Amino acid sequence: MVIIGAGECGGRAALTLRDLGHEGPVTLVGDEPHLPYERPPLSKEAMTSEAPLIKAIASDELLAERSIRHIHSVRAVAVDRAAHLVRFSEGSSLGYGKLLLATGSVPRKLPMPGLGGRCVYLRTFNDALAIRAHLKPENRVAIIGGGFIGLELAASARKLGATVTVLEAQPRILMRGVPAEIAEIIHKAHQAEGVKVLTGQGITAIADDGTQVRITLADRQDIVADLAVIGIGAVPVTALAAEAGLAIDNGIAVDENLCTADPDVFAAGDCCSFPLAVYGG
């Protein structure tokens, strides 16, 4: 079994294979230099704890004990389904009997000109460290997107003393996440902690001159910040599967057993779309 994607999904899949008695080789391949780790703490504990640490789901010792080979800092670039091979960015390849794609998702990009080095996204631990460096009392942080990630970052930034403005184009925060009554409670809680929350405001322009970011809203109001964090959703990472000829349907299409149309290729986690009985399939 080869698992592409050494995040929480891929890492836990490798461990669970052993828990369920799989005795064949298991290889876990990831493009980050770290052990498999949890991403939810990146917007919370990794921002506010005195010493930001990765919340790893397995140590090197545990992986070795479970006979799980972990290849890190390598990017899969192609899957040859006929030859049962995965090819990697540095030119090597690896054969598989069964393949699990656990490539996750990446932040949705803001499709606007003017974004520079002070307009950032949060996905990895290294992203979290870079953002954390700006969360200090003298700094102004603009967060574009009033979803869970944006609001968690807003709370963390305020805890560290930064001035925070949340910009949400929808009529309210958490439009897709919670009912309006709950969103209102959360909105008021953030305001009580000093977060400025602006809803129903589209962005017409962004100018990042390398020292600060100027965000112009639809009402011509300008928000000036030392850092802009963009959190407007995520998109599944499907290119590897698509180029291998697998079906894509808002993610890598799988059945109720997480199997693609190829019986030797599975997909799990944020990268896949799957039928759910509670929603009628």
Side-chain angles (χ1 to χ4, degrees), residues 16-228:
T16 302
L17 281 167
R18 292 301 188 217
D19 290 341
L20 296 178
H22 178 69
E23 296 180 351
V26 175
T27 302
L28 181 63
V29 184
D31 58 4
E32 292 188 64
H34 312 296
L35 286 162
Y37 64 88
E38 296 180 4
R39 294 192 191 276
L42 295 182
S43 55
K44 299 181 281 289
E45 293 98 318
M47 293 292 162
T48 58
S49 60
E50 285 190 18
L53 297 173
I54 285 178
K55 193 171 182 181
I57 65 168
S59 63
D60 286 318
E61 292 74 19
L62 178 61
L63 293 177
E65 177 190 315
R66 308 299 292 275
S67 298
I68 296 168
R69 181 187 180 197
H70 177 213
I71 302 174
H72 61 79
S73 306
V74 171
R75 184 171 56 88
V77 294
V79 174
D80 185 335
R81 289 163 53 205
H84 280 60
L85 278 177
V86 181
R87 305 189 192 281
F88 299 104
S89 51
E90 88 290 14
S92 66
S93 60
L94 183 65
Y96 67 86
K98 301 288 184 182
L99 177 68
L100 171 62
L101 299 174
T103 47
S105 61
V106 292
R108 186 181 302 279
K109 301 299 183 184
L110 185 64
M112 295 189 71
L115 277 62
R118 287 180 177 263
C119 297
V120 300
Y121 301 85
L122 174 61
R123 180 175 186 264
T124 68
F125 182 70
N126 290 345
D127 293 338
L129 293 181
I131 292 170
R132 180 190 169 104
H134 291 271
L135 305 187
K136 50 186 84 168
E138 66 270 21
N139 275 6
R140 303 157 297 176
V141 178
I143 296 174
I144 300 172
F148 288 113
I149 295 294
L151 295 171
E152 288 165 4
L153 277 171
S156 296
R158 281 300 298 139
K159 187 173 182 179
L160 295 174
T163 300
V164 182
T165 302
V166 173
L167 306 172
E168 172 54 61
Q170 297 293 326
R172 64 170 174 87
I173 61 170
L174 296 169
M175 196 77 177
R176 294 170 56 194
V178 301
E181 294 83 357
I182 297 175
E184 184 178 0
I185 293 169
I186 296 171
H187 187 135
K188 288 178 178 177
H190 275 74
Q191 286 184 321
E193 294 295 333
V195 177
K196 184 177 182 180
V197 182
L198 300 177
T199 59
Q201 283 283 1
I203 295 173
T204 59
I206 294 180
D208 179 353
D209 66 7
T211 60
Q212 64 180 20
V213 183
R214 182 175 298 275
I215 303 169
T216 303
L217 304 181
D219 66 359
R220 299 189 179 181
Q221 178 182 180
D222 279 347
I223 304 296
V224 179
D226 300 287
L227 184 75

